[in-house]
């Protein structure tokens, strides 16, 4: 299993990166606890030209400043004041592209994930533990405190040689406010997995 180099994330095509992250393994080592899952759903956000992006039209706030960092940086924001959503910043400094990780299939540390989610062991199928961006962050121990983290140590993404048999492309979920950009084919998911969130 090989850790993805920062150069993987520093490329210019955020849509291609979002697609290529399907099948990769997201690993966290937080508070001495290691958990991991195979990425099965992503969404691309194409910076200042994308009406669904937090950085649309060059918006730069205390929250979105992280998006203007170098590729391979974690951008974690709070949604509805509850859910911590994990994104990977891509491209180079001052180009605010990002990929939202929407779902994983759990691999390591299932017991830890259940504890973090306050789920009794055996009460839910394992594939549900990382189904949805808020749930996967909680299961993996990721929070807004990790925004700005470089994806090389406590949070990292690996390639274990797995090749997805089929990747499905669709419009993104929950971005109706983005007008015509809501229909862009920027969501990717692994065909045949029950771990995918939202509509298929």
């Amino acid at each position: 299993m090989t850790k993805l180099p920062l150069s993987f994330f520093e490329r210019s095509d955020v849509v291609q990166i979002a697609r290529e992250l399907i099948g990769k393994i997201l690993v966290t080592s937080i508070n001495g606890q290691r958990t991991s899952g195979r990425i099965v759903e992503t969404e691309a956000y194409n910076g200042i030209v994308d009406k669904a992006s937090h950085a649309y039209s060059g918006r730069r706030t205390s929250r979105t400043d992280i998006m203007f960092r170098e590729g391979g940086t974690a951008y974690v924001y709070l949604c509805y004041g509850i859910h911590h959503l994990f994104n990977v910043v891509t491209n180079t400094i001052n180009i605010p592209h990002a990929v939202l990780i929407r779902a994983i299939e759990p691999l390591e540390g299932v017991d830890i994930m259940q504890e973090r989610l306050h789920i009794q062991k055996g009460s839910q199928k394992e594939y549900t533990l990382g189904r949805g961006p808020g749930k996967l962050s909680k299961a993996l121990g990721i929070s807004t405190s990790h925004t700005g983290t470089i994806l090389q140590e406590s949070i990292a993404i690996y390639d274990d040689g797995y090749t997805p048999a089929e990747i499905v492309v669709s419009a993104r979920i929950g971005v109706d406010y983005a007008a015509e950009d809501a229909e862009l084919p920027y969501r990717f998911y692994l065909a045949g997995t029950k771990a995918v969130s939202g509509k298929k």
Side-chain angles (χ1 to χ4, degrees):
M1 196 162 76
T2 305
K3 186 184 296 182
L4 295 182
L6 294 180
S7 58
F8 177 94
F9 306 102
E10 291 168 345
R11 294 175 295 159
S12 61
D13 191 338
V14 67
V15 177
Q16 180 182 351
I17 294 171
R19 185 186 185 100
E20 291 180 5
L21 282 172
I22 298 297
K24 301 299 188 287
I25 298 176
L26 176 56
V27 179
T28 62
S29 298
I30 295 171
N31 297 326
Q33 296 180 309
R34 181 181 170 96
T35 51
S36 70
R38 191 175 302 282
I39 298 170
V40 296
E41 185 182 2
T42 62
E43 286 180 346
Y45 288 85
N46 195 27
I48 64 174
V49 299
D50 184 351
K51 293 178 181 177
S53 171
H54 290 170
Y56 173 62
S57 195
R59 273 197 308 262
R60 193 162 184 167
T61 66
S62 57
R63 181 177 78 163
T64 64
D65 186 67
I66 295 296
M67 297 182 72
F68 293 81
R69 303 275 186 91
E70 63 272 17
T73 302
Y75 169 44
V76 188
Y77 66 90
L78 200 60
C79 181
Y80 303 129
I82 302 171
H83 305 295
H84 299 251
L85 304 192
F86 171 68
N87 300 257
V88 180
V89 174
T90 67
N91 216 312
T92 56
I93 289 176
N94 292 325
I95 302 178
H97 293 173
V99 176
L100 172 65
I101 309 300
R102 286 197 58 92
I104 58 165
E105 288 181 346
L107 295 173
E108 297 174 271
V110 169
D111 289 350
I112 297 168
M113 295 183 192
Q114 290 170 330
E115 184 177 344
R116 287 172 174 162
L117 292 166
H118 307 293
I119 294 172
Q120 186 177 356
K121 186 176 180 180
S123 65
Q124 290 189 22
K125 300 291 186 183
E126 286 187 11
Y127 64 77
T128 68
L129 301 179
R131 188 164 63 182
K135 204 169 183 182
L136 84 82
S137 290
K138 191 170 183 179
L140 294 174
I142 298 172
S143 70
T144 53
S145 67
H146 296 106
T147 200
T149 298
I150 302 299
L151 303 184
Q152 289 290 292
E153 295 182 7
S154 60
I155 304 173
I157 299 177
Y158 290 78
D159 185 350
D160 69 343
Y162 173 85
T163 301
E166 181 184 356
I167 296 174
V168 182
V169 184
S170 79
R172 292 169 292 189
I173 295 174
V175 294
D176 294 344
Y177 58 85
E180 67 276 9
D181 286 356
E183 298 303 316
L184 291 170
Y186 284 1
R187 174 177 173 245
F188 303 92
Y189 64 87
L190 182 65
T193 177
K194 294 180 179 180
V196 170
S197 68
K199 58 188 178 183
K200 298 182 183 179

